Structure formats: C-alpha cells, structure tokens
C-alpha cells in the first residue's frame, strides 16, 4: 500500500490477533455431540476491578519480557487480545497447568467463574464505544472433527466469550483458508493470514481478533504535514511525513520524558505518546515502565496549551509468544506434562501462540485490526511551560488505552516509522 493510498484512507487502524494452537500428544477420542447452552449476557455493571488490575499487570509484564528480546525493533502488541485467547484456554486447564496459567495471567484471588464473568462484562463495555470509534472483539474455536471436546468447556467459551466451535477436517489442505478467511473478515482485511498450515496432530485453534478504528477528536490538517527528519537510534536521520497541530491537551513532562494524550471521538479511547527527553533514550524509559508507574503517570496528566508534531506511520508486526509466556511461568502448558483435560480426553499441550498486529496512524485518526517494582517511583514533574512544544522526531513508546475500563488495548515501540 503506497503513501498516496494511505492518505486517501484517512484513518488510523489497529488490529490485533492471537492464534493459540493445541497439539494432541496421543490418539484422538471418538467424536461426540456438542452441548448447546444459552449465551450468558453481560450486564451493565462495572468491570471487575480485580480483572482491571490483572490486565494491567499482565500487559506490562508481557511487554517487558518481549522488549528484552527485541529492543531495537518496532514492536506492537495487543495484551488484551493475548489475555483473552489465553483465558479461553485456561477454561480447559487443570492441576499444575491451571495454576501456572492463573499466575502468568496475574489472576490473583479470582475464581474461574469470576474471571469469565468479568471478561464477558469487559467485552460488552469495550464494544459500547462512541460513534467515532469502532471496537470489535471476536473469538472463535476451530477444532478437529474427530475429537470429542468437553461440553462444559464449549459451554463456557460460548457463553462468556461468544466463541463457537467450528469442526474441520484437519487433513484437508483447504482448512487454513477457512480459518484465515474468518481472520481477514474480523480485522477488515488488515490481517489476512494467521495460519500457515494445519498439522495432523493439531487438535484445536483458539483465536481472538481485536479491531479498533477511531477518528481523532481533533484531526490533523493534512496541509500542515511535511517531511522532517526522524532521528534513528544509530544516529542516522530519515526524512518522514510529520503531522502538526496546536491546541489544549492532557500533557505530562518530567526530567525523563514528555507525554501527551490524543483522544478519539468523545474521549474515552486515546493514543498516549511517551517521548524520552533529548538527553535520555527508550531503554532508560523502559527501565521505569511497569504497571505501577503507568497508573501513576496517568494520574499526573494535566491540561496545557501546546503543539504536537507526530510522525504518520503504518506497521505490521508478528511474533511467536511461546518463549515469552514460558518465561512468565507457563512453561508446563507447552510441555508433555500439560493438563488440558477440561478440553478433551486427548492428552494435549499448547504448541504455538502466534500474535499479529497492524496499525496505521495518520491525520484522520487511527485504525487497528490488543508486581510492583520496589524503588521505582514517578520522577519529578517539571513546572508547566506555556505553551509546550512536543516534537516526536526520535524513538517513542505509544499505547491505545480505554479510560473507562482502564484497559491497555495496544502497546507499541516505534523505533523507525519509515519501515
């Protein structure tokens, strides 16, 4: 897609998708009937604060472990998408595997029924967005047609996650096309493929697709966009289209960074940009970033007049999360000792966790196809200057965040917007 086409689209989009594949270790069981159950509708009650806290802890724990592997690259993840796919699988885990997934997902003190109801409420609340924002979370199960999946597992995933089972012949070469067609449809074509092939021993794929599209509350004037240098970590400069606007923003400045909130639509969803000061870098910023500092910083933003210069960018990203999740304590789920007896009578383990994301940021908006650290506190806040000037012409951290449910939908590290 060329730059002219992107300009015509005039939207910012992010799509996050997780594919979680279960692999059968032994012989399949006899296929059986799938129990049907009524969908449990989430109420309008607030999202469980325990889940909110768990999501935030998991998001930044996942981010830090992934960052350790890919510090010098552009990164974009949807931690909520990852968490939802894993939590659906958690419904079929037992014994030590269930405990390991419970701990990795930071579900401290929450029962399985509480977790499921909280996610049902969260899905409903997230999708009740304003007219300027589209947000859709879609879940699905794709199972081998000779496997007898447990009725309780299917009932839970259908009732709380709206994930219905599609039974397919995993020996049919066309099977990946069926799965990828669903993926492409849910992400508006932004992620056309998540499954390369289906292996004979595969039992089940659990997929979450998250699609976000939002128009800025205050759009950037495309006539003010011009090429300016973006400073890369290696000292080189690249000319890149930079958007510009002035106004009154939620803004935060410390000795280490500048940060700004750019709202979409009615202001519930926002893009947060964190730019290290010229005498600091992203590595120094990331050494401070965790769930505690994130929540502290969000409470310190204040209205201030100023100007923002922001690169227009588009990014496609994919990663295999199995090594990261193993490091988070879920290694048993990937081993032959895994216990997913709640899914089927076939011995099974998680074989792969694929995550793909897409984002486009431009003048019109955004389209996207998802332990407290002792001694780390918020740095001193600089007295407000009037007006501030924030020129995002070097590597930065960004997040798409829902203030109503306190959910980090997407987290990104932009090192080179020209890629």
């Amino acid at each position: 897609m060329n730059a002219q086409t992107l300009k015509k689209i005039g939207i910012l989009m992010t799509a996050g998708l997780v594919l979680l594949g279960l692999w059968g270790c032994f012989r399949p069981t006899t296929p059986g009937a799938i129990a049907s159950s009524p969908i449990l509708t989430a109420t309008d009650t607030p999202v469980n604060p325990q889940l909110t806290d768990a999501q935030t802890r998991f998001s930044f724990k996942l981010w830090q472990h992934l960052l350790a592997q890919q510090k010098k690259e552009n990164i974009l993840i949807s931690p909520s998408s990852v968490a939802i796919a894993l939590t659906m699988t958690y419904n079929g885990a037992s014994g030590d595997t269930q405990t390991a997934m419970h701990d990795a997902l930071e579900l401290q003190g929450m029962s399985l029924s509480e977790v499921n109801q909280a996610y049902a409420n969260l899905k409903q609340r997230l999708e009740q967005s304003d007219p300027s924002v589209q947000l859709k979370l879609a879940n699905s199960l794709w199972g081998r047609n000779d496997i007898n999946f447990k009725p309780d597992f299917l009932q839970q995933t259908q009732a709380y996650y709206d994930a219905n089972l599609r039974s397919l012949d995993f020996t049919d070469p066309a099977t990946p096309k069926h799965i990828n067609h669903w993926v492409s449809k849910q992400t508006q074509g932004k992620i056309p493929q998540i499954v390369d092939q289906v292996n004979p021993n595969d039992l089940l794929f659990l997929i979450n697709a998250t699609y976000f599209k939002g128009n800025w509350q205050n759009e950037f004037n495309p006539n003010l966009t011009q090429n300016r240098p973006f400073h890369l970590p290696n000292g080189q400069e690249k000319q890149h289209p930079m958007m510009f606007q002035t106004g009154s923003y939620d803004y935060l400045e410390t000795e280490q960074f500048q940060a700004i909130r750019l709202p979409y639509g009615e202001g519930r969803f926002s893009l947060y940009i964190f730019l290290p000061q010229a005498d600091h870098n992203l590595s120094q910023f990331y050494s401070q970033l965790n769930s505690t500092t994130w929540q502290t910083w969000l409470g310190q933003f204040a209205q201030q007049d100023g100007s923002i210069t922001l690169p227009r960018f588009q990014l496609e990203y994919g990663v295999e999360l199995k090594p990261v999740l193993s490091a988070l304590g879920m290694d048993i789920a990937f081993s032959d000792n895994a216990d997913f007896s709640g899914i089927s009578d076939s011995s099974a383990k998680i074989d792969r966790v694929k995550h793909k994301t897409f984002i486009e940021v431009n003048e019109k908006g955004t389209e996207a196809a998802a332990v407290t650290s002792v001694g780390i506190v918020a740095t001193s806040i600089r007295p407000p200057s009037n007006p501030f000037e924030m020129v995002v012409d070097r590597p930065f951290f960004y997040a798409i965040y829902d203030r109503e449910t306190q959910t980090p939908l997407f987290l990104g590290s932009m090192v080179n917007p020209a890629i």
Side-chain angles (χ1 to χ4, degrees):
M1 187 177 296
N2 59 38
Q4 187 64 28
T5 303
L6 290 178
K7 187 174 181 181
K8 289 181 180 179
I9 290 176
I11 49 178
L12 170 60
M13 184 188 73
T14 306
L17 188 140
V18 175
L19 172 109
L20 195 151
L22 283 179
W23 184 81
C25 303
F26 302 108
R27 68 181 186 280
T29 59
T30 304
I34 297 174
S36 61
S37 63
I39 299 297
L40 301 182
T41 305
T43 66
D44 289 327
T45 57
V47 175
N48 189 329
Q50 286 182 284
L51 181 67
T52 296
D53 292 341
Q55 282 258 40
T56 303
R57 289 192 299 268
F58 173 75
S59 296
F60 288 98
K61 188 171 67 171
L62 178 70
W63 173 260
Q64 289 291 358
H65 277 77
L66 183 60
L67 186 68
Q69 300 177 1
Q70 304 182 2
K71 281 186 177 180
K72 298 182 180 180
E73 301 177 22
N74 292 337
I75 300 173
L76 176 65
I77 63 170
S78 175
S80 58
S81 180
V82 176
I84 291 171
L86 289 175
T87 305
M88 286 195 295
T89 315
Y90 173 65
N91 273 267
S94 301
D96 291 341
T97 304
Q98 184 184 60
T99 300
M101 295 188 72
H102 177 278
D103 293 344
L105 290 166
E106 294 286 338
L107 302 173
Q108 300 172 5
M110 297 185 71
S111 67
L112 180 58
S113 60
E114 288 174 332
V115 171
N116 285 335
Q117 187 60 61
Y119 267 113
N121 291 345
L122 176 64
K123 183 178 187 297
Q124 184 194 57
R125 293 290 295 277
L126 284 173
E127 292 182 333
Q128 292 176 344
S129 54
D130 67 60
S132 298
V133 173
Q134 296 179 39
L135 178 58
K136 181 180 180 182
L137 288 79
N139 300 309
S140 63
L141 306 178
W142 304 82
R144 206 169 79 193
N145 60 4
D146 61 347
I147 296 297
N148 181 24
F149 294 101
K150 297 288 183 71
D152 285 348
F153 171 74
L154 297 178
Q155 179 181 341
Q156 297 289 81
T157 52
Q158 181 190 56
Y160 292 104
Y161 301 89
D162 198 20
N164 295 313
L165 176 70
R166 281 91 159 169
S167 293
L168 296 173
D169 179 1
F170 279 15
T171 65
D172 185 350
T175 292
K177 293 181 181 179
H178 295 302
I179 302 175
N180 290 328
H181 175 75
W182 181 89
V183 166
S184 181
K185 181 179 179 181
Q186 301 305 320
T187 62
Q188 304 296 309
K190 299 305 175 181
I191 300 178
Q193 177 177 311
I194 191 70
V195 177
D196 299 321
Q197 63 180 11
V198 175
N199 300 316
N201 285 334
D202 289 333
L203 299 182
L204 178 69
F205 294 103
L206 303 95
I207 302 180
N208 167 268
T210 300
Y211 177 81
F212 175 91
K213 178 180 177 181
N215 292 331
W216 299 124
Q217 193 172 86
N218 297 301
E219 296 179 10
F220 289 82
N221 183 345
N223 293 326
L224 299 180
T225 299
Q226 52 185 271
N227 286 335
R228 295 184 56 171
F230 188 93
H231 304 275
L232 303 178
N234 61 8
Q236 294 182 345
E237 294 182 357
K238 281 192 174 181
Q239 293 293 315
H240 189 80
M242 304 286 277
M243 307 180 296
F244 175 81
Q245 68 173 223
T246 61
S248 182
Y249 307 90
D250 282 347
Y251 177 76
L252 172 64
E253 183 170 353
T254 74
E255 295 175 354
Q256 281 71 40
F257 63 80
Q258 291 177 280
I260 193 170
R261 182 178 77 90
L262 300 174
Y264 304 104
E266 296 175 355
R268 170 181 166 179
F269 299 93
S270 301
L271 178 70
Y272 285 82
I273 303 288
F274 286 78
L275 176 69
Q277 298 284 5
D279 56 350
H280 288 71
N281 57 47
L282 266 184
S283 294
Q284 292 170 311
F285 172 76
Y286 289 143
S287 69
Q288 300 181 58
L289 179 63
N290 55 50
S291 60
T292 302
T293 53
W294 170 257
Q295 292 173 324
T296 300
W297 291 335
L298 291 189
Q300 294 176 333
F301 279 75
Q303 278 279 310
Q304 190 175 339
D305 292 336
S307 65
I308 173 69
T309 301
L310 180 67
R312 193 172 64 198
F313 64 90
Q314 177 182 337
L315 173 67
E316 296 179 28
Y317 178 78
V319 65
E320 167 58 59
L321 290 175
K322 182 176 174 179
V324 175
L325 295 171
S326 293
L328 293 182
M330 269 183 53
D331 48 313
I332 188 174
F334 304 102
S335 73
D336 290 340
N337 295 321
D339 184 353
F340 288 103
S341 55
I343 293 180
S344 76
D345 288 331
S346 296
S347 297
K349 63 182 179 181
I350 298 177
D351 182 54
R352 53 199 181 275
V353 183
K354 295 178 68 176
H355 187 48
K356 285 189 175 183
T357 51
F358 170 95
I359 190 168
E360 181 190 341
V361 177
N362 59 27
E363 291 85 353
K364 192 78 173 179
T366 299
E367 187 181 7
V371 177
T372 301
S373 297
V374 178
I376 298 180
V377 297
T379 54
S380 57
I381 302 174
R382 291 186 175 180
S385 58
N386 197 13
F388 71 84
E389 181 181 19
M390 185 170 173
V391 181
V392 187
D393 61 356
R394 52 190 181 275
F396 59 94
F397 169 77
Y398 61 98
I400 297 178
Y401 182 75
D402 174 24
R403 295 203 296 178
E404 183 175 306
T405 64
Q406 300 179 40
T407 301
L409 294 171
F410 293 87
L411 302 177
S413 181
M414 181 51 62
V415 176
N416 183 357
I419 293 178

